[in-house]
Amino acid sequence: MFETIQAMAEPTRLAILKMVRRREMPAGAIAEKFKGITRPAVSQHLRVLKDAGLVTERREGTRRLYSLRPEGFGPLKSMLEDFWDSKLERLKAAAEKQRKRKP
Amino acid sequence: MFETIQAMAEPTRLAILKMVRRREMPAGAIAEKFKGITRPAVSQHLRVLKDAGLVTERREGTRRLYSLRPEGFGPLKSMLEDFWDSKLERLKAAAEKQRKRKP
DNA sequence: ACTATATGTTAGTTTATACTAACGTAAGTG
DNA sequence: CACTTACGTTAGTATAAACTAACATATAGT
């Protein structure tokens, strides 16, 4: 799950994830969207994302089509929900304190 | 929101977030939990987390108590839900394809 | 078989990030 | 006021991550 966070923690990679969210895209088309960044660099980022299980690769002839792999975000998502829930827990704890003060 | 991800993308910092999830903890107690990592290093990590809005600092005498700030995870959380939803969107798209094939 | 297209891989370098050591600060204690 | 406790801050260094340039591979077309 930490691998997930690390994979997302890079501007280019996060941008790629948003790009392939709806439609699958060939590596070349992804690379073209970035200026000031070479194609090999993008290719390396794609590998990181793939290794982290955040995208899938499908080969079609000479091209490789990438698309988002939502399941890959599952563990991180539930950790975040856990963090989020502590908001409610605090409210409950605060209410408890109040109740004790004025019994 | 990218700041959020970056802040989480370091093992020590992620561990800190889990530590202060339920109860607030003084900086010293947090630092003690890590071996092979100096107190100043932990202090720096705490600052990164605070700047990212993921923890809050409360001073009590000479001590500084840190606790999780769940709201800080909001934007990332919704982005992740967005990613997650694309799972359903794909299922829908696939169903649509099926429907067309056998009208 | 040869050439073009689309892409990945590797070694080496640059750049960003984390760490350490030394110092600074602010509140409490005698 | 001197001393201690509990921290934070900074400058410099070490480490990890990303980038580039050159090379490799695999498919498709002629």
Side-chain angles (χ1 to χ4, degrees), chain B residues 58-90:
Chain B
R58 184 171 73 88
R59 302 192 185 192
E60 198 179 77
T62 158
R63 299 191 310 172
R64 306 206 183 177
L65 301 160
Y66 290 90
S67 55
L68 201 71
R69 188 171 165 276
E71 316 89 60
F73 298 91
L76 175 58
K77 186 169 168 284
S78 58
M79 193 189 77
L80 242 56
E81 274 156 10
D82 232 48
F83 283 166
W84 189 258
D85 286 348
S86 77
K87 196 180 180 175
L88 301 174
E89 286 173 32
R90 259 145 227 255

Side-chain angles (χ1 to χ4, degrees), chain A residues 28 39 43-44 62 64 66:
Chain A
R39 200 188 45 72
S43 185
Q44 283 167 3
T62 158
R64 305 204 183 178
Y66 290 89

Side-chain angles (χ1 to χ4, degrees), chain A residues 47-58:
Chain A
R47 181 145 67 106
V48 174
L49 292 172
K50 194 178 131 200
D51 288 351
L54 304 187
V55 300
T56 50
E57 180 204 290
R58 185 171 73 86

Side-chain angles (χ1 to χ4, degrees), chain A residues 5 8-11 14 18, chain B residues 1-10 13 17 45-55 69 72-73 75-76 79:
Chain A
I5 304 176
M8 295 177 74
E10 205 281 333
L14 188 60
K18 287 175 180 169
Chain B
M1 186 224 49
F2 183 66
E3 202 186 1
T4 308
I5 304 176
Q6 287 228 70
M8 294 177 74
E10 205 280 334
R13 286 200 292 265
L17 288 174
H45 285 309
L46 284 168
R47 182 144 68 105
V48 173
L49 291 172
K50 194 178 130 200
D51 287 352
L54 304 187
V55 300
R69 188 171 165 276
F73 298 91
L76 175 58
M79 193 189 77

